[in-house]
Amino acid sequence: MKHRIVVLGAGYAGAFAAGNLARRLSPADTEITVVNAAPDFVERMRLHQLAIGQDLAFRKLADVFAGTGVRLCLARVTGVDPERRTVAVTGEDGDGELAYDTLLYALGSSVAHHDVPGVAEYAFDVTGLSSALRLRERLAGLGEGGTVLVVGEGLTGIETATEFAESRPDLSVALAARVELGAWLSPKARRHLRQAFDRLGITVHEHTGIEAVEPTRAIAADGTSIPADVTVWSAGFAVHPIAAASGLEVAETGQIVVDRTMRSVSHPDVYAAGDCAYAIGENGRPLPMSCASAGFTNMQATAAIIARLTGSEVPTTGLKYYGNHISLGRRDAIFQMVDGDVRSKSWYLGGRTAARLKSGVLKGAGWSIAHPTFGMPKRKRRLATGPDRVGVRVAA
């Protein structure tokens, strides 16, 4: 009987991992299934562009995995039973169940409301395709002078505010930041960021926490009312409660607690990658929810799965950040180098060169997803037999 590998989620982590597994494991021994609710691969890092009205080309997952040996199951995951090794799903054909021998959990994250009143009812976000399309429709209906408030001073908030202001100069765009804008950047990069905001006419409300969202305004912690025909919430991410409900060991964030190889500490047949993995980086801190983390963790998870199944020594991949890349519209960006403790170094790259670099990164990520088994080896690795298959040592 073939070893059944089920990958939950076909985002950056899941789609790349499935292709990597198919590229390196023999189909004579393994059966790989990817479960995803939507039929398209969604470039999450571009959803703020989609929301403001730019047209993006979507890749059909059926085309992505065609000819790779990967089976695509278009369904929504409703539960995981790690004791029975099954996944409950629901799709066009109704409810069903998938059995697995190895599970790679990569369901990603969604927007975190932080229990702020009115966010769920009135705010928009760019963390998913459906929510970005909903925001796109709302923004298209805003006339000249319409007000947009972006809440959150992280990468998503900055990229969203600048993209909106550049694409729609007829709108009044503002950003609410709990701390100083770009406080984590080096002084020169921070100055570049402020100049970009000034150039684009974005109003910044610093040291402003939002405690309520209403249909036409947001209420700050000090009671100040900020007008907003549209409030875009980008104040953090949250994972789906499925993992916690399944009995897998999770952190307070709901992320699956994994060891250095991305293997669940409570259930050795389960691995996690991307935003849903609570993984510790080389600096001793949990990896943040980000596309970079998706890359680190999916490479480590697939390497560990392949090694253990084929009886090889498990390699370790790097879990270290080198910098943050922030788009400031289509013609400007910041690339900020960081040290081992993720503190900003004095050096940064900005302007059109940084924008071209960011564009190249996005195109490269999209191309790698569209060609999941590129460079497929002529000889794929066969599975080892016996109990030692899952008990090999990890390389130091």
Side-chain angles (χ1 to χ4, degrees):
M1 182 177 180
K2 293 184 179 182
H3 188 93
R4 299 161 299 183
I5 302 175
V6 175
V7 180
L8 303 184
Y12 289 105
F16 187 86
N20 196 19
L21 291 168
R23 182 169 65 246
R24 299 168 63 188
L25 291 174
S26 172
D29 299 326
T30 55
E31 179 183 274
I32 302 169
T33 301
V34 176
V35 183
N36 201 65
D40 302 315
F41 171 72
V42 177
E43 291 188 80
R44 186 170 179 176
M45 292 188 291
R46 292 183 183 269
L47 286 180
H48 58 293
Q49 297 175 239
L50 178 70
I52 199 57
Q54 298 174 27
D55 292 326
L56 304 180
F58 293 100
R59 296 177 176 87
K60 292 291 183 183
L61 289 173
D63 296 335
V64 167
F65 293 118
T68 65
V70 175
R71 172 179 171 247
L72 175 63
C73 175
L74 293 178
R76 182 170 56 86
V77 178
T78 57
V80 175
D81 188 337
E83 306 304 328
R84 295 177 54 239
R85 295 181 184 176
T86 59
V87 176
V89 298
T90 183
E92 292 184 355
D93 298 328
D95 298 339
E97 192 173 80
L98 297 173
Y100 67 83
D101 298 300
T102 296
L103 179 71
L104 177 54
Y105 191 109
L107 288 179
S109 63
S110 59
V111 66
H113 294 164
H114 299 302
D115 296 323
V116 174
V119 172
E121 294 84 1
Y122 306 118
F124 297 79
D125 67 83
V126 291
T127 60
L129 178 58
S130 60
S131 57
L133 289 173
R134 175 173 165 262
L135 175 56
R136 179 186 176 108
E137 182 179 2
R138 179 70 180 95
L139 290 173
L142 279 186
E144 184 175 354
T147 54
V148 178
L149 174 67
V150 179
V151 180
E153 69 280 3
L155 303 184
T156 302
I158 292 173
E159 291 195 339
T160 299
T162 52
E163 195 76 48
F164 285 13
E166 180 181 87
S167 297
R168 291 285 305 274
D170 59 311
L171 299 178
S172 177
V173 179
L175 182 141
R178 290 168 296 178
V179 295
E180 178 187 355
L181 179 67
W184 43 277
L185 293 170
S186 64
K188 291 182 180 179
R190 193 181 312 140
R191 185 160 53 250
H192 185 114
L193 177 63
R194 287 188 174 278
Q195 289 172 349
F197 268 61
D198 290 343
R199 170 173 53 82
L200 294 169
I202 302 170
T203 301
V204 181
H205 302 278
E206 294 183 310
H207 306 288
T208 302
I210 300 300
E211 293 200 345
V213 175
E214 297 180 359
T216 59
R217 65 175 184 168
I219 309 300
D222 63 0
T224 301
S225 175
I226 304 175
D229 296 316
V230 174
T231 297
V232 183
W233 194 260
S234 59
F237 303 103
V239 299
H240 199 283
I242 286 177
S246 72
L248 293 165
E249 183 172 335
V250 298
E252 291 183 1
T253 58
Q255 296 167 289
I256 298 172
V257 180
V258 295
D259 63 15
R260 181 58 179 78
T261 69
M262 303 304 125
R263 193 182 205 178
S264 165
V265 297
S266 62
H267 293 79
D269 301 308
V270 178
Y271 293 77
D275 287 354
C276 55
Y278 187 81
I280 304 302
E282 293 178 11
N283 59 6
R285 301 174 184 174
L287 294 177
M289 297 185 190
S290 69
C291 186
S293 294
F296 299 149
T297 55
N298 93 66
M299 286 189 290
Q300 178 60 80
T302 53
I305 291 170
I306 292 165
R308 289 192 170 108
L309 291 181
T310 58
S312 306
E313 186 172 299
V314 179
T316 55
T317 60
L319 299 177
K320 179 181 179 180
Y321 278 82
Y322 294 95
N324 292 309
H325 213 154
I326 317 165
S327 295
L328 305 174
R330 295 298 87 210
R331 296 179 294 275
D332 194 5
I334 290 173
F335 182 68
Q336 173 69 72
M337 296 293 292
V338 300
D339 61 19
D341 292 321
V342 201
R343 292 177 300 197
S344 296
K345 295 182 178 181
S346 59
W347 183 88
Y348 90 101
L349 180 67
R352 288 183 179 271
T353 301
R356 286 193 290 268
L357 179 60
K358 178 63 178 287
S359 178
V361 169
L362 292 174
K363 289 179 180 178
W367 189 92
S368 66
I369 295 297
H371 302 81
T373 55
F374 177 76
M376 185 184 296
K378 294 181 179 178
R379 293 186 62 186
K380 297 189 179 184
R381 300 175 67 178
R382 299 296 301 269
L383 269 59
T385 58
D388 291 340
R389 186 173 67 192
V390 294
V392 294
R393 60 191 177 91
V394 178

